[in-house]
């Protein structure tokens, strides 16, 4: 049987138009020219199809064939995803390189998941049991950190009539399920899922657990919930990549999917070189054992970037379905939006704001809405979550541009990076006045129960002081500190300590880079004690503020971050000493 094919009539960069395509379907994968470049049908008009090609199209011209495959653009899911480094359409970079040298060749078809590798499949169900979609039927130890759950594929259910333990490749049959109609379905460890459609879950849950990142300004002031969506907009050099990577390194998600849309030529190369070297601070194991990397270096065609975020989010959902907490970082989604804009331009669609397509908003929302805390599909009470953190690089730092605006509409956390803070080398350069989290109420129960009863109060008071500080700074700029009352000076003194001793955090210092929630609480509590105790004395007649500043205990606060985790009594002692010293000024 000969393959069904159309004929190219036009090539414009990553866009190819072909005729004779009346049997093609939207989002069908096609192979373009005899080189078999991977493409996807993105528009159909009678028997003409517009095809987005994921590989370099130079040298391809009208008259050449386009082969239909009948498949939609999908990812392969199964053991072997972790530790992989893929391009935007899930081709393993290492294998492509082996086939074609360091410049990625064209038309190379390598499977996303190894067909040879064997995994020790351990069933968790027995024959005769009834199973339904999403049910876990067995496990394999995918890496030292992660047990990979093998689930019944979506749309399948019935009686388990066969289950095979032992060493299996992803294509070997591990189970046979007999449907109600008597049809026998073979189950392998390999599943496919179309990337543009979100995977089924068993219902959403309210996200109430914080994603613990160890970065103090994020956890304490602007918390993200597990299953939430957040964005990090910031101008060039303000710290988007460092922030994303620090979160990827330290956050308490069990699985990390990192999608890098190469910003500058060699930036992704940094990630590719660095990531495999990183160690999980909790287990000492290489971080890659819980990570999937998707990399678009700048020499890859623009269309692959468009696909890469969907490839990433589908893999992330798959691990969520097993009952894991998954975090996906996309850096930077602006490059993704630009890819959309370029394709839209070539399709001669009506442009929206700043040339972006009118569907930028719905695509952005569609992506972030795949985040969520869910009950997993299947029986039992497995819960999973997918947290999405997208970096945005607005040109010139102008937050009113369409990508930032559309992102802010759908994410509930805004970590605003600030060029001025970065220039002053205050890191992380997250602006505490403009940033926000709409999850603070969601996670407050966790803080109160797991960290400290007054944690929410201390945090709220600290935020208030930082806001007051910004108002007072105006006055100071005009007339100097002398015009301020001792009470106002107390506000300034405490907020300075919040900024310098608490919010400032060096991501490159192994100890400082991660702070547990309890330590975050204690650090802030000690600092806030300056304010709490100070309030009792500042209204006294003839009070000299300089005496407070010169108290020996004030020097100890600067070193509060050096008190080790677990030595809570040292924090308590410091707190008492601050109160006592300040009260002695009475
Ligand atoms: P962007 O991705 O926004 O262009 P980067 O993340 O590459 O910016 O950050 C630029 C530089 O700022 C880094 O190379 C680093 O020197 C500094 N930096 C950013 N964040 C931190 C941090 N948390 N701690 C220390 N240095 C930082």
């Amino acid at each position: 049987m000969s393959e069904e094919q159309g004929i190219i009539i036009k090539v414009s960069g990553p866009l190819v138009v072909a005729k004779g395509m009346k049997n093609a379907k939207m989002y069908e994968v096609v192979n373009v020219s005899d080189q078999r470049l991977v493409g996807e049908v993105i528009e159909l008009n009678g028997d003409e199809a517009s095809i987005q090609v994921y590989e370099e199209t130079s040298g391809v011209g009208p008259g050449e064939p386009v082969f239909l495959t009948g498949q939609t653009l999908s990812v392969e899911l199964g053991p072997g995803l972790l530790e992989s480094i893929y391009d935007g359409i899930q081709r393993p970079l290492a294998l492509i390189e082996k086939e074609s040298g360091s410049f990625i060749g064209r038309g190379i078809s390598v499977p996303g998941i190894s067909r040879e590798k064997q995994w020790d499949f351990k069933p968790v169900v027995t024959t005769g049991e009834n199973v339904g979609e999403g049910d876990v039927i067995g496990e394999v130890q995918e890496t030292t950190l992660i047990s990979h759950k093998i689930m019944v594929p979506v749309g399948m259910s019935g009686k388990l009539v066969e289950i095979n333990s032992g060493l299996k490749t992803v294509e070997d049959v591990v189970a046979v399920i007999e449907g109600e109609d008597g049809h026998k379905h073979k189950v392998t460890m390999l599943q496919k899922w179309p990337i543009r459609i979100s995977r089924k879950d068993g219902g959403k849950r309210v996200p109430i657990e914080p994603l613990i990142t160890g970065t103090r300004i994020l956890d304490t002031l602007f918390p993200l919930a597990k299953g939430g969506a957040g964005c990090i907009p910031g101008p060039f050099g303000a710290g988007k990549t460092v922030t994303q990577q620090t979160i990827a390194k330290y956050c308490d998600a069990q699985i990390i999917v990192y999608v890098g849309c190469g910003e500058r030529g060699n930036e992704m190369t940094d990630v590719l070189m660095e990531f495999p070297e990183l160690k999980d601070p909790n287990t000492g194991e290489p971080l890659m054992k819980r990570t999937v990397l998707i990399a678009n270096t700048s020499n890859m065609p623009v269309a692959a970037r468009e696909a890469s975020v969907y490839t990433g989010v589908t893999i992330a959902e798959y691990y969520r379905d097993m009952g894991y907490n998954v975090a996906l970082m996309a850096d930077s989604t602006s490059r993704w939006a630009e890819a959309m804009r370029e394709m839209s331009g070539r399709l001669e669609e009506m442009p929206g704001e700043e040339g972006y397509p009118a569907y930028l908003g719905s695509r952005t929302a569609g992506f972030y809405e795949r985040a969520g805390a869910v009950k997993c599909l299947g029986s039992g009470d497995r819960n999973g979550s997918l947290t999405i953190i997208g970096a945005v690089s607005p040109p010139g730092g102008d937050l009113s541009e369409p990508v930032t605006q559309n992102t802010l509409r759908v994410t509930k956390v805004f970590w605003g990076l600030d060029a001025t803070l970065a220039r002053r080398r205050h890191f992380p350069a997250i602006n505490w006045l403009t940033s926000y989290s709409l999850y603070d109420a969601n996670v407050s129960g966790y803080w109160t129960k797991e960290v400290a009863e007054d944690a929410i109060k201390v945090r709220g008071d600290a935020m208030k002081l930082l806001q007051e500080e910004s108002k007072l700074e105006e006055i100071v700029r005009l007339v100097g500190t002398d015009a301020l009352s001792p009470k106002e000076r107390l506000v300034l003194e405490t907020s300075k300590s919040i900024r310098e001793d608490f919010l400032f955090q060096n991501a490159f210092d192994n100890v400082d880079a991660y702070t547990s929630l309890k330590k975050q609480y204690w650090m802030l509590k000690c600092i806030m004690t300056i304010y709490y105790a100070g309030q009792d004395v500042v209204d006294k007649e003839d009070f000299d503020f300089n005496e407070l500043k010169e108290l020996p205990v004030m020097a100890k606060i600067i070193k509060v971050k050096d008190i080790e985790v677990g030595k809570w009594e040292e924090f308590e002692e410091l707190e008492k000493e601050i109160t006592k010293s300040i009260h002695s000024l009475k």
Side-chain angles (χ1 to χ4, degrees), residues 235-242 264 267 425 427-428 505-508:
F236 176 82
K240 291 179 294 296
T241 307
V242 173
R264 307 175 276 272
E267 186 171 273
R425 315 257 349 126
F427 289 118
Q505 192 170 1
N506 185 353
F508 300 110

Side-chain angles (χ1 to χ4, degrees), residues 24 60 93 117 228 250 275 277 346 406 481 496 524 539 565:
V60 174
L93 287 186
K117 179 152 184 174
Y250 294 104
F275 243 92
E277 304 278 313
R346 290 184 193 267
N406 280 301
T481 11
K496 177 167 172 268
L524 192 59
D539 287 334
V565 174

Side-chain angles (χ1 to χ4, degrees), residues 112-132:
I113 289 180
S114 161
R115 298 295 191 267
E116 285 96 47
K117 179 152 184 174
Q118 291 192 315
W119 304 92
D120 190 10
F121 176 73
K122 296 205 167 74
V124 296
V125 288
T126 46
T127 50
E129 280 183 51
N130 279 316
V131 289

Side-chain angles (χ1 to χ4, degrees), residues 414-435:
F414 168 70
W415 294 325
L417 289 168
D418 188 316
T420 320
L421 289 175
R423 227 173 292 129
R424 275 197 245 143
R425 315 257 349 126
H426 174 100
F427 289 118
I430 293 167
N431 185 317
W432 49 88
L433 297 173
T434 56
S435 299

Side-chain angles (χ1 to χ4, degrees), residues 409-472:
R409 228 164 269 151
V410 287
T411 53
K412 289 192 174 174
V413 166
F414 168 70
W415 294 325
L417 289 168
D418 188 316
T420 320
L421 289 175
R423 227 173 292 129
R424 275 197 245 143
R425 315 257 349 126
H426 174 100
F427 289 118
I430 293 167
N431 185 317
W432 49 88
L433 297 173
T434 56
S435 299
Y436 59 78
S437 163
L438 302 181
Y439 293 109
D440 50 359
N442 290 39
V443 303
S444 63
Y446 181 97
W447 275 85
T448 311
K449 192 159 161 271
E450 305 292 329
V451 185
E453 221 158 83
D454 62 342
I456 297 302
K457 178 186 181 301
V458 173
R459 162 193 185 268
D461 291 342
M463 301 260 273
K464 246 185 259 155
L465 288 194
L466 289 169
Q467 271 154 17
E468 273 181 53
E469 179 196 37
S470 81
K471 286 187 207 134
L472 291 174

Side-chain angles (χ1 to χ4, degrees), residues 457 486-488 490-491 494 528-545 548 551 575-586:
K457 178 186 181 301
K487 201 169 194 160
E488 289 166 331
L490 180 65
V491 171
T494 316
M528 286 303 290
T529 304
I530 308 173
Y531 179 69
Y532 296 143
Q535 275 182 310
D536 300 332
V537 294
V538 283
D539 287 334
K540 220 176 52 164
E541 231 175 293
D542 304 329
F543 178 77
D544 181 358
F545 194 78
L548 186 149
L551 285 172
E575 183 204 348
K576 284 196 193 114
E577 193 184 336
I578 298 166
T579 310
K580 205 167 139 214
S581 306
I582 293 181
H583 280 174
S584 74
L585 298 171
K586 268 191 188 175

